[in-house]
Structures are given as C-alpha cells and as structure tokens.
C-alpha cells in the first residue's frame, strides 16, 4: 500500500474537522502523509501524528507572501519528493486554485468537488448543481483531488508516534500577486461555513433582518449562510454567500429561510444530507429539493423553532 499526501494549509490546534476528514480518507487509501506550507511547532506535528500522519513535508525556507503561487510551488515539490499514489486537498476556493496549479506543474489530472474516493482512486463527485453524481478517474499523472467538507467521518486520535519530518526546497514561485496588507476577520464564534455540519441560511425573505436566522443557527451550533440577493443588498457579508457564485457546502442539515432556491443557490447546497425549507411561496423551487418544507413566514417560523429547542433543552 502506497502513501497519500494530504495538503493542510494551517494545522491549528485542535486540528480542524476538515483536516481530520482528509486524513481519514487518506487512511483508507494508503499511508497518510501531510504537506504543510510553513514550518510546524513540535506540538502541531505530534497532533498530526496522533491522527495518522506518518511523515510531514515542510518548506526549507519561509515562503513569500504571494497568495497561492508559493503554496502551489511548495506542494508540487512535496509531491515530487513523496511520490504518493494521490494528493488530497480541501475544496475551498484557495485549495482548488492550488490543486489546479499543482496539476499543471506535475502534468497531472485534477478532480474537484469530490464527495468520496474509492480505494482504486475512482472519485465520486456531485455535478449539474447536485442533480447527478458522476464517477471519475484521473488518467494522467498522480491524481490531485479536492474533497468537499463533511464527506467522511473525521479521523479519530490514536497513539501513533511522532511523524518523520522532511524539508522541501521550493524554487522561485514565479510572477505572482503579493499581499500588501492583512486585517483580522471579525470572530463570530460560529463554525466555518464550508465546514459546518449545520447551516441556517437566509435570503431575500429576511428583508434585512438576519436576527431569527442567527438565533436559530447559534442554538444549533451552526453557521449562518445567505443567498446572493441578501449579500448584494448588504444585509450580510459576502463571505456568507452559498451558491454557484459563493461557497459550496455539504452540511448534515441545511435550513433555507426565505430563499427561493433558484438553480444558482441549489448549486451550492444541494448535496446537504437533510434540507429544510421555509418560504411563504408554496411554489418556490426550493421545495423541489427539500426533505421537509414549511410554507410560512420565516419571521414567525424560525422564532417558534428556536423557542421549541430551548424548551426541550430546559
């Protein structure tokens, strides 16, 4: 059984669920190894070992702050050093760009939006706005695969030893956009949208008031999402947008409140395990894909749901 190289951008402690999912998938395919684009503290390396990583590849020198170009250059060199059977990444915008650049550098096929990877490296992915699934296989080079969050049960901690560590010399990343300034993102205490197991999303029907949506999301320990109409109106930041031009999510539970469910929205959330729709319009397209539908005013329905949750927890 060969190795599978997992790219983990920022291995924070505790290790994020999405990273543990990738390690779990890698463990079903071979021996998990990890590539991280910055030197790790010993504690973080030991944590990766507890979740199955046998070896860690790190850059020999600090990478320049040039968005994804340097990360892609590093990962390509790590793949050459490791010679794995496959490379796994997350499915964020940045991870997919890194995957594309690595595919070009290595002459390898790339598959994005995977929801499952079989031992023979055939990949199941959701296509056509989630209306169908397809099975794909890379025909050229080492497969580079990005996997949607919540596609597998995360790896459980074990008593694995400290992983071996290897340094990779990274060549010049080439011309790239440099980062001129960074600012801290406001911390909400909610899980990251693309990794959340529960999402409550609001659309045009919230009429500018995301209070009921946020209240229900917090009670369920979930994230807050939104349609493009809501973000374009300035009611919530664009980072909350779910859909064809926003983030693609695959939570266990997706509650759609006041969103019509046009094809652009479906493209971002149709692979959710359970979809609950709340909309005043009984003919809204979202009811076609919803597992449970409630025809009603979200301003009334969501507070009732929140109150019932509180009662049952009392």
């Amino acid at each position: 059984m060969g190795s599978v190289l997992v790219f983990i951008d920022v291995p924070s402690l505790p290790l994020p669920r999405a990273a543990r999912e990738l390690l779990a998938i890698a463990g079903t395919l071979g021996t998990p190894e990890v590539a991280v684009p910055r030197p790790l503290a010993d504690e973080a390396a030991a944590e990766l070992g507890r979740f199955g990583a046998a070896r860690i590849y790190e850059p020999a020198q600090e990478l320049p702050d040039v968005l994804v170009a340097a990360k892609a250059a590093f990962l390509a060199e790590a793949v050459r050093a490791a010679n794995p059977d496959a490379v796994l990444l997350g499915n964020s915008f940045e991870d997919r760009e890194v995957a594309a650049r690595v595919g070009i550098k290595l002459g390898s096929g790339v598959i994005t939006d995977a929801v499952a990877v079989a031992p023979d490296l055939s990949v199941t992915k959701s296509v056509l706005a989630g209306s169908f699934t397809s099975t794909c296989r890379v025909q050229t080079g080492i497969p580079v695969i990005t996997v949607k969050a919540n596609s597998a049960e995360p790896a459980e901690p074990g008593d694995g030893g400290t992983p071996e560590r290897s340094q990779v010399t990274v060549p010049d990343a080439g011309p790239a956009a440099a980062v001129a300034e960074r600012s801290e993102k406001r911390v909400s205490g909610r899980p990251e949208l693309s990794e959340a197991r529960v999402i409550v999303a609001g659309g045009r029907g919230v009429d500018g008031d995301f209070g009921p949506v946020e209240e229900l999301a917090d009670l369920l320990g979930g994230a807050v999402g939104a349609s493009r109409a809501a973000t374009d109106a300035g009611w919530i930041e664009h980072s909350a947008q779910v859909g064809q031009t926003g983030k693609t999510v695959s939570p266990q539970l997706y509650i759609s409140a006041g969103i019509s469910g046009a094809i652009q929205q479906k493209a971002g959330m149709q692979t959710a395990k359970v979809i609950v729709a709340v909309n005043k319009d009984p003919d809204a397209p979202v009811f076609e894909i919803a597992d449970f539908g409630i025809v009603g005013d979200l301003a009334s329905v969501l507070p009732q749901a929140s109150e019932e949750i509180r009662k049952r927890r009392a």
Side-chain angles (χ1 to χ4, degrees), residues 8-40:
I8 300 178
D9 194 348
V10 185
S12 57
L13 298 177
L15 201 61
R17 176 186 171 90
R20 290 184 283 122
E21 288 181 12
L22 291 175
L23 288 170
I25 295 171
T28 66
L29 306 175
T31 302
E33 297 183 342
V34 175
V36 294
R38 65 204 68 201
L40 283 183

Side-chain angles (χ1 to χ4, degrees), residues 22 25 88-91 111 113-117 145-149 151:
L22 291 175
I25 295 171
L88 300 182
L89 303 89
N91 202 57
I111 299 176
D113 300 323
V115 295
V117 184
I145 304 165
T146 72
V147 183
K148 286 185 176 183
S151 294

